[in-house]
Amino acid sequence: MKIAVFAGDGIGPEVTGEAVRVLEALGLPGLALTYGDVGGAAWRRHGHPLPEETLAMARASDAILFGAVGDFACDHLERHLRPEQAILGLRKQLGLFANLRPAKMFAGMEDASALRPEISGAIDLLIIRELNGDVYFGEKGVRTLDDGRRQGWDLMSYAEDEVRRIAHVGFRAAMGRRKMLCSVDKANVLETSQLWRDVVIEVAAEYPEVTLSHMYVDNAAMQLVRNPGQFDVIVTGNLFGDILSDQASMCVGSIGLLASAALAEGSMGLYEPIHGSAPDIAGKGLANPMAAILSAAMMLRHSFDLEAPAARIEAAVAEVLRAGIRGADLGGSHGCRAIGDAVLARL
Ligand code: IPM
Ligand code: MG
C-alpha cells in the first residue's frame, strides 16, 4: 500500500495530518507513506506547484492522499505556476477522470444543514464529476480585439469517448445504489452539452435497469435545495460538477464533511476533501479534518478494496458527530486535533 501524501497549502497539512493518524492507527499491513510537496508550498521550495519529483512520487504510488492547494500570495503568478495547477496537473497526468463526491446526511446533523431538516434529512446522493476535460482543460487566453478591448476566452469541449467513459462510471455507480442516474447539462444552450446528452442516452442502452433522467444545470442547482432527496447519482461535466458539489456540501451541513475520490481506469486514485486551503483559518488548528479523514476511508475502499476498515472510519466519524463533537464549521468549538483525537478514540 504505497501512498503518496501531498498535504499542500493552508489547512491542507492540518487536516491531512489527522487523516494520516487515522490510517496509521488501523495497523494495516504494508502501509507505506511518502510525502511530497504540492501547490504554493511546492512553488516556494522548488519554483513549481507540481515539481517533477512530486509527479514521479505520484506515479510510483498506489494512491494519493491530497490536502488542499491555493494561496493568495500566488495569485499574481502566471497561471501555469499557480497552486491550483498541482491538482489539475495530477488529475490530467494520471488520467484521474472520474470524481466521486458523495453527500449524505449524517444522523443528527440535520440542524447544521442550510436547508430545513425535513428537506435535508433525505439527502443521500453521489455526484460523479468528469475531471479531465471541459472548459478546465480547453485552450484559453486573453486577447486584444481589433478595437483594443481585452477579451478573456476559455474553450469548452467534450469528445464522445470522454463522455462515454464517465457515463459508464455513472451507470455502474447507480447499479450499486438506488438505480437512478440524473445527467446534468446545459443542452438548451451549449453544443457541448447536446453531445453529452446524446452520448449518455446511447450508453443508457447497456443499463436497462437504471432510470435515466436529464436536467439542465440551473434547474439542478434549484432542485438540490428544493428537494435533494430526489437524487441518487448525478453525472455531470467538470465545471458543473465543481459548482454543484460545493452546493451539495452545504445541504448536508458543511463543506468540512465532504470527501472525494478521483479515479483512473485501474485502482489508482487521488483522495481529497472537496474544500480548499481556507487561508483565513490556516495554522490555527480550527479546521475540521473530517473530510480528509473520510477521504482516507474512500481510499481504502476504492484503491485497496478494503471495505471493512473504510466502513470503520466512517462509523467512527458518524459517532463523533452524533456525540455532538463539532468543529467551528458546524457551529462547534472542537479544533482539528481534538476532532482527530475523538475519531481515534472511537476507532
Ligand atoms: C475542487 C476545487 C478545484 C477545482 C480547484 C482548486 C482547482 O475547487 O476540487 O473542487 O476547481 O476542481
Ligand atoms: Mg471546487
Side-chain angles (χ1 to χ4, degrees), residues 109 111-113 252-254 257 288 290 321 325-332:
M109 292 300 294
D111 67 298
S113 170
V252 294
S254 163
L257 293 177
N288 181 354
M290 284 177 168
L321 287 171
I325 295 172
R326 295 182 179 189
D329 58 321
L330 291 166

Side-chain angles (χ1 to χ4, degrees), residues 69 84 87-88 91 101 129 136 238 242 246 272 274:
V69 288
E84 290 76 10
I87 185 64
L88 297 176
R91 288 171 182 170
R101 298 190 159 188
R129 167 189 177 196
Y136 268 65
N238 206 343
D242 178 45
D246 266 38
E272 58 168 334
I274 81 155

Side-chain angles (χ1 to χ4, degrees), residues 6 23 129 142 152 202 223 246 250-251 261 289 302 346:
F6 301 153
L23 275 178
R129 167 189 177 196
V142 179
E202 287 163 24
Q223 296 295 337
D246 266 38
M250 282 315 290
C251 300
H302 292 283
R346 267 76 183 175

Side-chain angles (χ1 to χ4, degrees), residues 9 39-40 43 47-50 69-71 73-89 135-142 151-155 239 242:
D9 302 322
W43 172 76
H48 198 279
L50 183 56
V69 288
D71 182 340
C74 297
D75 282 355
H76 67 284
L77 297 175
E78 282 176 66
R79 186 159 300 281
H80 75 278
L81 292 176
R82 296 216 197 144
E84 290 76 10
Q85 295 305 313
I87 185 64
L88 297 176
V135 70
Y136 268 65
F137 292 100
E139 276 181 57
K140 58 188 75 222
V142 179
Q151 182 188 55
W153 58 280
D154 300 84
L155 182 71
L239 181 64
D242 178 45

Side-chain angles (χ1 to χ4, degrees), residues 126-297:
L126 171 64
I127 296 179
I128 295 184
R129 167 189 177 196
E130 201 289 330
L131 221 45
N132 276 184
D134 203 351
V135 70
Y136 268 65
F137 292 100
E139 276 181 57
K140 58 188 75 222
V142 179
R143 60 192 165 207
T144 306
L145 301 174
D146 289 345
D147 61 8
R149 285 178 301 150
R150 287 168 303 158
Q151 182 188 55
W153 58 280
D154 300 84
L155 182 71
M156 173 183 274
S157 71
Y158 264 120
E160 59 180 314
D161 54 304
E162 295 177 295
V163 181
R164 201 166 287 123
R165 67 177 181 173
I166 195 70
H168 279 291
V169 175
F171 281 106
R172 282 199 299 268
M175 284 299 290
R177 295 173 46 108
R178 302 198 302 281
K179 296 194 171 63
M180 297 191 294
L181 180 66
C182 179
S183 171
V184 170
D185 62 35
K186 188 69 186 172
N188 50 346
V189 177
L190 303 173
E191 285 303 320
T192 310
S193 280
Q194 187 59 57
L195 179 79
W196 174 283
R197 189 176 284 220
D198 294 347
V199 173
V200 170
I201 290 169
E202 287 163 24
V203 174
E206 296 177 44
Y207 302 89
E209 285 178 55
V210 175
T211 306
L212 172 66
S213 60
H214 304 274
M215 206 178 268
Y216 298 139
V217 64
D218 49 348
N219 184 25
M222 190 266 279
Q223 296 295 337
L224 256 181
V225 293
R226 193 188 75 90
N227 175 19
Q230 72 185 284
F231 294 110
D232 179 17
V233 181
I234 292 174
V235 65
T236 190
N238 206 343
L239 181 64
F240 300 155
D242 178 45
I243 298 167
L244 293 179
S245 56
D246 266 38
Q247 188 183 339
S249 73
M250 282 315 290
C251 300
V252 294
S254 163
I255 197 162
L257 293 177
L258 259 66
S260 80
L263 307 176
E265 291 294 0
S267 63
M268 176 55 157
L270 178 152
Y271 301 84
E272 58 168 334
I274 81 155
H275 63 66
S277 56
D280 52 326
I281 57 166
K284 298 182 181 161
L286 292 174
N288 181 354
M290 284 177 168
I293 292 170
L294 292 169
S295 296

